[in-house]
Amino acid sequence: MARRKRRRKRSRSRSRPVPAPAPGRAPAKSKDEIAREQLEPLREGERPLAVTIAAIVAALIALSNMVGWIAGIEVDNQSFSAGEVLPPVIVMVVAAVGMWYSRYWAVLGFEAILAILIVIIAIALTTASNVLAVVVSVAIIGAAGTLFWFLVKSLARIQMPERSPR
């Protein structure tokens, strides 16, 4: 019975005509439209600072993984094979190069990696067994979250390329 009343209310509200703006007045701009107007598109060859930092971070992650693997570093007495090390290294190198050239897809992909990292570290934080683990986890979440935030702002300036009509 209650569902029918809700449906009736919804259908009534949908059928009402939207009032036209008063004559001589322009419709108010939304916050999104105002924010878009304030954005400056990137100049040729320009790269936002956050994107540059993210490219360097991705390159350092790839480099540290390769150096660790070549040096034979073990984690919990376990060494890693090339099949376990090379795919993440390749992803980080591709992300670093793509972000260095201010590619939309690279910044968006790196943001997805950061989001996954933040979630994984937050889950791991629930099982931290000592103060050092808590401090390191909070530091990683803070750094990744800050970089994520500034990449979102930078991504707004890097316009996704227009698709050509078929």
Side-chain angles (χ1 to χ4, degrees):
M1 184 87 174
R3 286 185 183 179
R4 289 182 189 166
K5 289 180 183 178
R6 281 188 223 143
R7 285 184 187 163
R8 287 181 190 153
K9 287 181 182 178
R10 286 183 194 158
S11 64
R12 287 180 191 160
S13 64
R14 287 182 188 162
S15 63
R16 293 181 186 161
V18 177
R25 285 185 105 184
K29 291 183 180 180
S30 70
K31 290 181 182 180
D32 292 338
E33 290 171 343
I34 294 169
R36 280 189 206 102
E37 288 175 358
Q38 292 175 349
L39 285 176
E40 284 183 38
L42 294 176
R43 293 183 302 273
E44 188 66 31
E46 183 183 6
R47 181 178 47 253
L49 179 62
V51 175
T52 303
I53 292 170
I56 293 169
V57 166
L60 289 175
I61 290 170
L63 181 65
S64 67
N65 284 345
M66 281 303 294
V67 168
W69 178 63
I70 291 169
I73 293 177
E74 295 180 351
V75 177
D76 293 331
N77 295 326
Q78 178 186 358
S79 60
F80 297 96
S81 68
E84 295 170 318
V85 175
L86 292 180
V89 167
I90 291 169
V91 168
M92 285 294 139
V93 167
V94 169
V97 171
M99 286 187 289
W100 191 257
Y101 290 106
S102 297
R103 299 294 183 245
Y104 187 88
W105 56 265
V107 177
L108 192 61
F110 194 71
E111 281 188 316
I113 292 169
L114 284 174
I116 292 168
L117 174 71
I118 291 167
V119 169
I120 289 172
I121 298 295
I123 291 170
L125 184 60
T126 63
T127 62
S129 59
N130 57 35
V131 176
L132 179 62
V134 171
V135 170
V136 169
S137 296
V138 169
I140 291 171
I141 291 171
T146 302
L147 185 56
F148 184 90
W149 176 259
F150 284 107
L151 283 176
V152 168
K153 291 183 172 196
S154 297
L155 196 59
R157 292 187 62 206
I158 302 172
Q159 298 299 317
M160 190 167 170
E162 296 289 326
R163 289 189 176 189
S164 58
R166 293 184 181 190

